[in-house]
Amino acid sequence: MRTIFFALSFGVVLVGCGAGFTVDAPRDFVSLDDRATHSRGYALRATSADGVVMGVRTLENDRHGSSDFWVEAIRNRLRRDRGYALTSEADVVAASGQTGHQMRFGHDDGGRPFVYWVTVFVTNDRIFVVEAGGRRDRFEPATGQVESAVSSFRID
């Protein structure tokens, strides 16, 4: 599970340095701005005291793949290659109006159930991946905060 967590840096409102987005911070999350954040391609990372993590990665869409393409590629990788179970998925809308897609997964690691959410927004030039995860017993109390942060996502 350690290798799949994607976290992000939050303040009150966060702006990814040149990343083209802003997002409102979940209450009770702290910023994790370190070399690992940027070396793994994350624009932002944060964590709760209970180990629930969130992250935003921005990728160039230099091949101009559609949203359907990128959602299917991510879904396939997590299910086929990493053994995640897709528990639900739905279309979502960013605070700035762009349509995205959220997939919610479950996975057991060391006999413990984990939750992992991936929300994808695709423009002609960029792919924005908002991720959140943690042990299920710790993630469930933070669900509302995570949902609020994801719904506050704005593409500039």
Side-chain angles (χ1 to χ4, degrees):
M1 196 66 187
R2 294 170 275 297
T3 60
I4 59 86
F5 281 138
F6 302 66
L8 62 133
S9 299
F10 284 109
V12 174
V13 173
L14 298 174
V15 179
C17 298
F21 69 88
T22 57
V23 63
D24 295 340
R27 190 178 83 254
D28 301 330
F29 277 58
V30 297
S31 175
L32 296 172
D33 189 19
D34 56 22
R35 284 188 196 151
T37 298
H38 304 293
S39 68
R40 291 196 217 146
Y42 299 105
L44 300 171
R45 309 177 341 135
T47 185
S48 73
D50 287 329
V52 175
V53 294
M54 292 191 66
V56 176
R57 291 200 286 170
T58 63
L59 309 162
E60 290 190 31
N61 191 6
D62 54 357
R63 304 274 185 206
H64 305 292
S66 69
S67 180
D68 289 342
F69 171 84
W70 290 111
V71 166
E72 187 68 20
I74 292 166
R75 184 188 300 119
N76 287 344
R77 179 162 186 181
L78 288 169
R79 289 178 73 209
R80 293 179 190 165
D81 298 345
R82 301 241 177 137
Y84 286 82
L86 181 64
T87 59
S88 68
E89 60 185 314
D91 290 332
V92 296
V93 178
S96 51
Q98 294 85 352
T99 301
H101 193 77
Q102 184 175 86
M103 296 170 281
R104 296 181 180 190
F105 296 90
H107 183 71
D108 286 347
D109 187 14
R112 293 189 173 137
F114 283 79
V115 173
Y116 180 52
W117 294 4
V118 180
T119 307
V120 183
F121 297 98
V122 178
T123 68
N124 192 48
D125 298 319
R126 304 294 298 234
I127 305 155
F128 299 90
V129 184
V130 182
E131 303 158 300
R135 281 183 30 189
R136 185 173 64 204
D137 62 329
R138 296 176 180 176
F139 191 91
E140 287 175 350
T143 297
Q145 292 179 59
V146 173
E147 287 173 338
S148 292
V150 172
S151 67
S152 77
F153 192 79
R154 291 175 298 281
I155 299 171
D156 301 329

